[in-house]
Amino acid sequence: MIFTIYALLDTFVIKKVYDVIDNSDYHEVVIDEDNIKSNDNYYEDDNIKITITTYREYDTNIYVADIYVHDARYLKTYLAQNSYGKNIVDKTSNMAEKLSAILAINGDYYGAREKGYVLRNGIIYRSTVSPNQEDLVIYQDGTMNIISESEVSVSKLQEDGVYNLLSFGPGLISNSLITVSENDEVNRSMRSNPRTAIGKISYNHYLFIVSDGRTNESQGLSLYELATFMKQLNCVTAYNLDGGGSSTMYFNGNIINNPVSKSKKSSERSVSDIVYIGY
């Protein structure tokens, strides 16, 4: 019994920091505040333009952030508490506020798994292959591709210039083609779920998408429905991130969607990491 209790605590509770993130290459960007245009669903400055639109599809509320950036370096990732480790978590909104992010969504929740590549800001933190795992790789110029961990090492990806890698999946759209079927799902996940996804339309033009689910007001999406919706928005690449209670979109100081826990109560889950737009 003691061993079982320890195993559960080790898996879900006990925090272990394996590495602290080096931010020595950070460069502050000075923004002319007089040129900022901003309201509840719009933001624009000299480098970033974001429009938030709410859709109603498949009996589901879907929140879409349409993003243009002058430079791909404004598409960023962040690990909770600025650390790589186990059970190191924080809420998406807390991390976004700490970073003064304009827009943020939850990431791949790498800390919930023992395997799967972790490569952030050009640094490899985990190189253990998760068989048949599809990852989204993001190069410094903003190029996005979907790869299989079984077919390429993370060191080769780093060598080829991958700057950020997200390991949840599956891939939804590759080369403008939907790559999931109506029967595909994430492990034992429910078919209709809150979802989080990231997509690319063209050079420096991206989408962040979050859908509500598991409530009477919003059913949730299947992977195929999510892929179809993103295809309709002209994504050439799209990738599924951690969903369910993790699904959170933060914009201009507010949570845009309605995060929900397994008990179907409004509750923002703490997660390992975020993807965000900011300086």
Side-chain angles (χ1 to χ4, degrees):
M1 182 180 294
I2 293 173
F3 176 80
T4 300
I5 292 172
Y6 174 77
L8 290 171
L9 289 172
D10 183 60
T11 301
F12 299 109
V13 178
I14 299 174
K15 296 181 179 181
K16 297 180 181 179
V17 176
Y18 301 138
D19 208 340
V20 177
I21 310 303
D22 180 8
N23 292 316
S24 59
D25 63 345
Y26 173 77
H27 298 285
E28 185 175 358
V29 178
V30 178
I31 303 300
D32 185 351
E33 295 187 4
D34 291 336
N35 290 336
I36 295 176
K37 301 174 184 177
S38 179
N39 58 38
D40 290 342
N41 55 21
Y42 185 79
Y43 176 92
E44 184 177 4
D45 64 28
D46 294 336
N47 302 304
I48 297 168
K49 179 180 176 181
I50 301 170
T51 304
I52 305 293
T53 304
T54 302
Y55 293 80
R56 181 73 179 177
E57 300 281 349
Y58 307 107
D59 293 322
T60 299
N61 296 326
I62 309 172
Y63 308 87
V64 177
D66 189 275
I67 307 154
Y68 292 88
V69 291
H70 178 70
D71 191 303
R73 63 178 171 161
Y74 304 128
L75 171 63
K76 299 171 176 281
T77 62
Y78 177 79
L79 303 186
Q81 301 180 38
N82 206 40
S83 300
Y84 166 70
K86 188 173 185 178
N87 297 319
I88 309 297
V89 298
D90 198 356
K91 292 181 178 180
T92 295
S93 59
N94 288 344
M95 289 186 271
E97 288 173 3
K98 176 181 178 180
L99 296 163
S100 298
I102 302 162
L103 171 71
I105 53 175
N106 60 288
D108 65 8
Y109 210 148
Y110 77 86
R113 301 178 302 281
E114 297 289 341
K115 297 181 179 180
Y117 297 160
V118 179
L119 189 163
R120 302 296 169 89
N121 303 320
I123 300 172
I124 297 171
Y125 295 99
R126 188 166 67 201
S127 57
T128 310
V129 175
S130 179
N132 303 315
Q133 170 65 42
E134 290 184 334
D135 296 345
L136 179 71
V137 295
I138 308 173
Y139 296 82
Q140 281 192 298
D141 66 356
T143 300
M144 290 183 175
N145 288 317
I146 295 170
I147 60 93
S148 170
E149 291 189 7
S150 300
E151 295 177 357
V152 60
S153 69
V154 69
S155 59
K156 182 64 167 63
L157 293 170
Q158 182 192 49
E159 180 184 325
D160 290 343
V162 172
Y163 193 67
N164 280 301
L165 178 150
L166 298 167
S167 178
F168 193 88
L172 302 170
I173 299 173
S174 184
N175 296 319
S176 298
L177 299 175
I178 292 175
T179 55
V180 290
S181 72
E182 293 187 33
N183 298 319
D184 284 333
E185 196 39 80
V186 179
N187 297 325
R188 296 183 298 275
S189 179
M190 297 165 55
R191 177 173 173 79
S192 294
N193 255 315
R195 302 284 183 182
T196 301
I198 182 172
K200 181 175 181 178
I201 294 177
S202 59
Y203 179 70
N204 284 345
H205 185 188
Y206 305 97
L207 295 181
F208 287 1
I209 292 181
V210 166
S211 71
D212 289 337
R214 300 179 184 168
T215 68
N216 293 332
E217 293 77 23
S218 187
Q219 177 177 313
L221 300 175
S222 70
L223 289 175
Y224 184 75
E225 289 169 343
L226 178 58
T228 300
F229 177 75
M230 296 184 77
K231 172 69 174 175
Q232 292 170 351
L233 296 179
N234 299 315
C235 282
V236 298
T237 305
Y239 186 79
N240 181 59
L241 293 168
D242 185 24
S246 298
S247 288
T248 304
M249 179 179 285
Y250 170 101
F251 177 70
N252 261 353
N254 297 298
I255 297 174
I256 298 300
N257 68 309
N258 297 291
V260 63
S261 66
K262 289 183 178 180
S263 63
K264 296 187 178 181
K265 293 182 179 179
S266 179
S267 176
E268 184 187 357
R269 177 191 291 167
S270 292
V271 294
S272 296
D273 61 303
I274 62 171
V275 184
Y276 73 102
I277 303 293
Y279 296 101

